[in-house]
Amino acid sequence: MRKSVVALFFCFAATAAAAEPEYNFTGPLVTPNASALPGGTVLVEPYLIYTESHAVYDGTGGRHDARPGSHQWLLVVPATVGITERLNTQLTAGTAYNVSGKDHSDGTRLTDTSLMLQYMIVAPRADGTGPAVSLSATHVFPTGKYDKLGDNPLNGTGSGASSNRIALFAQQKFWLPNDHPLRVRALIAWGPSPSTVRIDGVSSHGTPPGFQGNAAMGTSMGVSAAVEYGIDRHWTLAADLAWDHRNGTHLQGTVCPTPATCSNLDQRNGPNWTYSVSPAVEYNFNASVGLIVGAQLSFAGHNASSYWAPQAALNMVF
């Protein structure tokens, strides 16, 4: 079992009979693992993420200050279970605490929850070399608070939408001339428009007090690529490059601050996207436990927030 975990998930550099030194990987911050966990194996990887934004990208890509901006502490815990040698399932839940200026959410709040099924359609060789290719389907459950926020919009930690996403991702390890491994990953994902969300009052979609209506969100798409360079059996350098895109949200309804003063609201928000880079350092205690520390930083965008998000995750295989 130990050799299977090493070969399929951490991509160890050698089998017991090979002469190359051993190397461990935890995986980069953004792009997921395309190699499935062996059946009966459990992986838990809690992330602690601090996101700060004091600027926005406008419709032409220009960057402008936005004060006081926003801050968020996010704890998100993906738990992955190997069902068979090729089929995995992953449940991800989290809590968030939001701050803007002197205002903040009323404590930590549950975020939306996701359930993913991953099937490895191409498996790597037993020594971890060769490509691994997987297909996944994810459903997001609207467990986070999103409307009826009253006088504190910072309590919004969800979208209110039941949504789906499919993804195709791959990875492969190469040996460099200096006998160090380089592992590469890539992902492409797409999500259809989720179901229309009924909204009452102040919401995470920016609706004002007295609003009654609907939010229709657009399709989403994401592309990312990552590299990991093994320095020795404990230390690894990693980096991701990502592009995230979502079509705009259409808000329709009425705004009634008082029963006698109602007006119609029909607002279409344009599509938004961001480019980001995520450098990180991994320290692998052994083949089953690894720590990664780094940050995700946006460097271009369109109708979106400019942000930086330092974070750390502890990867534990059981």
Side-chain angles (χ1 to χ4, degrees), residues 26-29 42-49 74-80 90-95 288-294 310-318:
T26 67
L29 289 174
V42 177
L43 168 68
V44 180
E45 190 175 18
Y47 280 76
L48 180 62
I49 304 170
L74 175 65
L75 175 64
V76 59
V77 183
T80 308
Q90 182 184 83
L91 179 68
T92 303
T95 60
S288 299
V289 180
L291 175 69
I292 182 168
V293 178
Q311 54 195 276
L314 185 64
N315 185 302
M316 298 172 287
V317 176
F318 302 95

Side-chain angles (χ1 to χ4, degrees), residues 2-19:
R2 180 176 173 83
K3 287 186 179 179
S4 296
V5 173
V6 170
L8 288 179
F9 188 76
F10 291 101
C11 291
F12 254 33
T15 63

Side-chain angles (χ1 to χ4, degrees), residues 135-201:
L135 184 67
S136 70
T138 302
H139 181 76
V140 178
F141 299 90
T143 53
K145 183 74 172 176
Y146 70 95
D147 73 343
K148 299 180 182 178
L149 301 180
D151 58 358
N152 193 354
L154 295 175
N155 284 334
T157 54
S159 68
S162 293
S163 60
N164 298 292
R165 202 178 206 205
I166 57 173
L168 179 68
F169 43 108
Q171 73 179 33
Q172 186 165 358
K173 185 179 70 178
F174 302 91
W175 285 99
L176 300 178
N178 62 0
D179 292 329
H180 288 255
L182 183 73
R183 190 168 73 169
V184 297
R185 288 181 175 179
L187 163 82
I188 182 168
W190 176 80
S193 298
S195 55
T196 300
V197 177
R198 180 69 182 171
I199 295 178
D200 183 358

Side-chain angles (χ1 to χ4, degrees), residues 82-291:
I83 299 174
T84 69
E85 298 301 308
R86 289 179 179 259
L87 180 64
N88 287 181
T89 184
Q90 182 184 83
L91 179 68
T92 303
T95 60
Y97 179 74
N98 299 321
V99 179
S100 180
K102 296 181 179 180
D103 300 320
H104 56 80
S105 57
D106 299 329
T108 59
R109 297 292 179 115
L110 184 67
T111 61
D112 290 342
T113 302
S114 67
L115 180 65
M116 181 189 75
L117 285 176
Q118 171 188 342
Y119 184 76
M120 185 170 62
I121 55 180
V122 177
R125 291 186 284 269
D127 63 354
T129 60
V133 181
S134 284
L135 184 67
S136 70
T138 302
H139 181 76
V140 178
F141 299 90
T143 53
K145 183 74 172 176
Y146 70 95
D147 73 343
K148 299 180 182 178
L149 301 180
D151 58 358
N152 193 354
L154 295 175
N155 284 334
T157 54
S159 68
S162 293
S163 60
N164 298 292
R165 202 178 206 205
I166 57 173
L168 179 68
F169 43 108
Q171 73 179 33
Q172 186 165 358
K173 185 179 70 178
F174 302 91
W175 285 99
L176 300 178
N178 62 0
D179 292 329
H180 288 255
L182 183 73
R183 190 168 73 169
V184 297
R185 288 181 175 179
L187 163 82
I188 182 168
W190 176 80
S193 298
S195 55
T196 300
V197 177
R198 180 69 182 171
I199 295 178
D200 183 358
V202 176
S203 74
S204 56
H205 296 280
T207 52
F211 177 81
Q212 293 284 333
N214 303 294
M217 287 165 278
T219 59
S220 63
M221 188 172 183
V223 178
S224 68
V227 294
E228 294 173 279
Y229 175 75
I231 298 174
D232 58 31
R233 64 181 301 176
H234 294 295
W235 292 98
T236 301
L237 301 178
D240 294 91
L241 181 65
W243 173 75
D244 290 290
H245 177 275
R246 179 175 288 278
N247 283 329
T249 299
H250 185 196
L251 296 171
Q252 284 184 304
T254 58
V255 180
C256 299
T258 67
T261 57
C262 291
S263 59
N264 293 325
L265 176 68
D266 191 336
Q267 176 181 313
R268 292 182 181 271
N269 300 321
N272 64 81
W273 53 262
T274 54
Y275 284 104
S276 66
V277 63
S278 304
V281 176
E282 305 172 16
Y283 182 81
N284 300 280
F285 299 93
N286 52 50
S288 299
V289 180
L291 175 69

